[in-house]
């Protein structure tokens, strides 16, 4: 998207409060990779959760907690974000971010590898936001579909993967993972999905049925 349009949306609809700005500053100070969602994508996730009155949300890939704050702030008292992170340094910074945002009561950060943690989670999430490693994306798709309630939202970042998803000559494991995820989202009869072209692309789908 034209940068001017992105700036317009961000300034008008996704202006950050001092807490989100502080979290981003810490992110930079600790040299975390700049792969967190943008403010406009964070605001989009927040609005989507409000629209479905989400109470239980799962995130795969916490990094420094930036997207997690946008997600958790959409939850009512008693709601809970479960977020999975396998890097101990990222997990510590994310926990600090949730404390700073006074969201610790609403966020459960599970430190571990997603493929180990996912089988331990109870079913029935209102939304699942996938934003971690790209090679296992088809497996994350299966877990997301299994863990979502009917009517729940499947969300996945980096649908375009900087254009790699659209480039049939890119046979890297990451590109193949993203492409396979998008194909599943497009064709699985349980899901109605599309891609919102925000930042690097956000897959959004509604799980309509438990079985094909
Ligand atoms: N959602 C975050 C960005 C996540 S970046 C935000 O927008 O703010 C991806 C994160 O996933 C990194 O912190 C990385 O350490 C973590 N990650 C990568 N592979 C993982 C895996 N297999 N299990 C758990 N976490 C993983
Ligand atoms: C990159 C961006 C992401 O949002 C992500 O989840 C992984 C990688 C990147 O820019 O490389
Ligand atoms: Mg991402």
């Amino acid at each position: 998207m034209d940068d001017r349009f992105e700036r317009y949306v961000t300034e008008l609809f996704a202006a950050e409060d001092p807490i989100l700005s502080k979290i981003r500053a810490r992110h930079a100070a600790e040299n975390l990779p700049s792969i967190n969602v943008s403010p406009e994508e964070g605001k989009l996730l927040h609005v989507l959760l409000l629209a479905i009155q989400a109470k239980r949300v799962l995130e795969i890939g916490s990094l420094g907690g930036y997207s997690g704050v946008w997600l958790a702030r959409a939850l009512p008292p008693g709601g809970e974000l479960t977020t999975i992170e396998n890097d101990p340094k990222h997990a510590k910074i994310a926990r600090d971010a949730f404390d700073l945002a006074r969201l610790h009561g609403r966020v459960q950060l599970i430190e571990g590898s997603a493929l180990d943690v996912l089988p331990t989670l109870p079913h029935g999430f209102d939304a699942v936001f996938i934003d971690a490693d790209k090679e296992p994306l088809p497996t994350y798709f299966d877990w997301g579909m299994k863990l979502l309630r009917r009517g729940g939202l499947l969300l996945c970042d980096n649908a375009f993967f900087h254009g790699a998803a659209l480039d049939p000559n890119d046979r890297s494991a990451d590109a193949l993972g993203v492409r396979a995820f998008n194909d599943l989202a497009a064709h699985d009869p349980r899901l109605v999905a599309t891609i919102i072209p925000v930042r690097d692309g956000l897959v959004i789908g509604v799980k309509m049925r438990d079985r094909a």
Side-chain angles (χ1 to χ4, degrees):
M1 207 194 339
D2 186 324
D3 278 2
R4 289 178 310 142
F5 297 161
E6 204 171 298
R7 267 202 305 280
Y8 180 76
V9 175
T10 301
E11 281 166 21
L12 196 53
F13 292 97
E16 291 179 329
D17 54 89
I19 289 169
L20 281 169
S21 304
K22 233 186 210 173
I23 291 170
R24 284 227 289 189
R26 172 93 195 276
H27 211 283
E30 299 278 358
N31 284 315
L32 294 191
S34 299
I35 56 174
N36 52 290
V37 299
S38 60
E40 54 160 2
E41 188 180 3
K43 181 68 180 285
L44 174 62
L45 293 167
H46 182 83
V47 170
L48 289 170
L49 295 192
L50 289 174
I52 63 160
Q53 296 181 286
K55 290 171 189 65
R56 289 186 53 227
V57 174
L58 173 64
E59 175 180 65
I60 308 177
S62 327
L63 191 63
Y66 184 77
S67 56
V69 169
W70 282 105
L71 294 167
R73 280 181 171 175
L75 305 180
E80 187 175 64
L81 171 70
T82 301
T83 183
I84 306 172
E85 176 55 56
N86 69 350
D87 182 314
K89 177 182 168 188
H90 298 178
K92 157 101 179 63
I93 295 168
R95 284 201 179 94
D96 290 349
F98 300 133
D99 284 349
L100 184 71
R102 298 181 172 282
L103 288 166
H104 37 277
R106 244 184 280 176
V107 182
Q108 185 200 13
L109 189 152
I110 304 179
E111 215 174 306
S113 187
L115 291 174
D116 296 332
V117 175
L118 288 165
T120 71
L121 299 177
H123 293 204
F125 285 95
D126 299 307
V128 174
F129 175 52
I130 301 168
D131 192 18
D133 46 345
K134 309 308 177 196
E135 189 173 350
L137 273 171
T139 311
Y140 295 156
F141 179 91
D142 291 339
W143 276 111
M145 291 300 283
K146 204 180 301 226
L147 293 173
L148 278 174
R149 67 161 166 89
R150 245 183 297 135
L153 287 184
L154 186 70
L155 304 161
C156 184
D157 192 36
N158 308 100
F160 301 139
F161 206 51
H162 311 288
L166 293 61
D167 176 5
N169 295 321
D170 190 332
R171 309 288 301 167
S172 68
D174 287 350
L176 290 175
V178 172
R179 227 175 283 138
F181 184 98
N182 292 346
D183 285 342
L184 288 165
H187 298 121
D188 191 301
R190 296 167 296 177
L191 194 73
V192 177
T194 189
I195 292 173
I196 301 177
V198 65
R199 200 176 69 106
D200 195 23
L202 176 70
V203 174
I204 170 174
V206 181
K207 177 180 163 182
M208 305 297 290
R209 289 194 286 279
D210 288 315
R211 293 164 194 286

